[in-house]
Amino acid sequence: MIWDQSFIELAPLPRGFHLVTNEVLAQAPDPRNCEMGLLHLFIQHTSASLAINENADPDVRGDLERHFNFMVPELAPHYKHTTEGPEDMPAHIKNVLIGPSLTIPVANGHLALGTWQGIYLCEHRDHAGGRRIVATLQGRW
Amino acid sequence: MIWDQSFIELAPLPRGFHLVTNEVLAQAPDPRNCEMGLLHLFIQHTSASLAINENADPDVRGDLERHFNFMVPELAPHYKHTTEGPEDMPAHIKNVLIGPSLTIPVANGHLALGTWQGIYLCEHRDHAGGRRIVATLQGRW
Amino acid sequence: MIWDQSFIELAPLPRGFHLVTNEVLAQAPDPRNCEMGLLHLFIQHTSASLAINENADPDVRGDLERHFNFMVPELAPHYKHTTEGPEDMPAHIKNVLIGPSLTIPVANGHLALGTWQGIYLCEHRDHAGGRRIVATLQGRW
């Protein structure tokens, strides 16, 4: 059985949805020898999220950022958690909507992503530092 | 230890939320001999999602479709990714909101779903083809 | 290899977002002897959800409840599933948005949560009973 785990550090990114498949896989456990398994990714933050979506047209990422800002606006009158900046409470809500983790199947030594799927880091803060992801690979040889 | 994986093909479905528990389990690895484990389902597409919700009143599925169309409308003025049809960018947003995967516990040879829980295929496109799901079962005998 | 599973019963909670890290871990399989693994939590209900978010300021939980009520209002004219109470159909939609399960990495005998992360039970009904969560720990010694 395979169990392998790494702690990934992503450099600071501007607010928005970012395609980070290559950056993540460069630091994640190598699935090459895994015939069948799962790769789990978990971001240790409450104001940035992980998602999977289209890896081609960058306008998809821009539209996601614009639409999440529309659904979860800054300075809504019902927010009470306002002392950490106008985008902080929206960041927490976006994180609950999108989620902090992904589980991706591994088949024959590769992630079994669809042709158009890539891994997104969704940065909800205006001036965030780097982000930490725990990557756990399990499976069989 | 049990590791088993299958690639499920679901026939094309109209846009909307569909209860597909039986169709999925018919093609997923059989949990009958698994005393304790997890079944992971992963859809290899960015415009259809997997969810779990009520398996009884079909109005719940209709209301979900109507409400997601309300939260994520077509032709919003902030969309730039518009060349693949008016429902394509909303489909990507819905997929990020709902997610591409499920992990369901297995106990004593059965999925440990609650009484009212069923598996949904959420089809966000108007004229989609069939959808592919990677099903991975792991556990112990 | 470690496989361990428990069925957690949470006492009834009022509608809202609740920090339940301690209540959940008191009944979940003990990760102390797990060097590397994953803890999976699955709620067996369609009108309450599990999430991870900030474990400090309780206003974050209040704002989440208020904002989800704003995005998913009661008595929307497009709801047809209305016989189980005005908050029942919104509860199903919130459950699809937030999700029924969490997978949390385990490292060196501890959950690898970030400093500010805690486990939330999101109760979407006005007068719910207790909630049942299946907790599954897997990993290696």
Side-chain angles (χ1 to χ4, degrees), chain C residues 33-63:
Chain C
N33 295 314
C34 180
E35 188 228 345
M36 185 183 296
L38 296 169
L39 175 66
H40 179 255
L41 302 171
F42 181 85
I43 194 162
Q44 291 184 308
H45 305 274
T46 61
S47 56
S49 308
L50 294 175
I52 289 178
N53 212 261
E54 169 166 322
N55 56 20
D57 182 4
D59 281 343
V60 169
R61 277 107 73 189
D63 286 355

Side-chain angles (χ1 to χ4, degrees), chain A residues 58-133:
Chain A
D59 281 344
V60 170
R61 276 106 75 190
D63 287 355
L64 281 161
E65 172 66 14
R66 283 181 285 276
H67 196 72
F68 273 85
N69 291 338
F70 169 78
M71 286 196 303
V72 191
E74 297 187 7
L75 303 171
H78 52 266
Y79 297 154
K80 295 189 179 174
H81 176 80
T82 55
T83 56
E84 294 179 44
E87 89 288 16
D88 185 64
M89 190 58 225
H92 291 307
I93 298 170
K94 293 170 183 175
N95 177 252
V96 169
L97 284 168
I98 301 174
S101 77
L102 300 172
T103 306
I104 302 171
V106 174
N108 301 315
H110 298 279
L111 292 196
L113 289 167
T115 308
W116 303 105
Q117 290 180 310
I119 298 169
Y120 283 13
L121 185 287
C122 316
E123 176 56 70
H124 308 310
R125 296 302 308 267
D126 283 336
H127 304 287
R131 297 299 195 172
R132 195 178 211 212
I133 296 168

Side-chain angles (χ1 to χ4, degrees), chain A residues 1 53 57 63 67 112 138, chain B residues 3 44 78 80-81 95 138:
Chain A
M1 299 294 299
N53 211 262
D57 182 3
D63 287 355
H67 196 72
Q138 53 167 321
Chain B
W3 274 98
Q44 291 184 307
H78 51 266
K80 294 189 180 175
H81 177 80
N95 177 252
Q138 54 165 319

Side-chain angles (χ1 to χ4, degrees), chain B residues 49-105:
Chain B
S49 308
L50 294 175
I52 288 178
N53 211 262
E54 170 168 319
N55 56 20
D57 182 3
D59 281 344
V60 170
R61 276 108 74 190
D63 286 356
L64 281 162
E65 172 65 15
R66 283 182 286 275
H67 197 72
F68 273 86
N69 291 337
F70 169 78
M71 285 195 304
V72 190
E74 298 187 5
L75 302 171
H78 51 266
Y79 297 155
K80 294 189 180 175
H81 177 80
T82 55
T83 56
E84 295 179 44
E87 90 285 17
D88 186 64
M89 190 58 225
H92 291 307
I93 297 170
K94 292 170 183 175
N95 177 252
V96 169
L97 283 167
I98 301 174
S101 78
L102 299 172
T103 305
I104 304 170

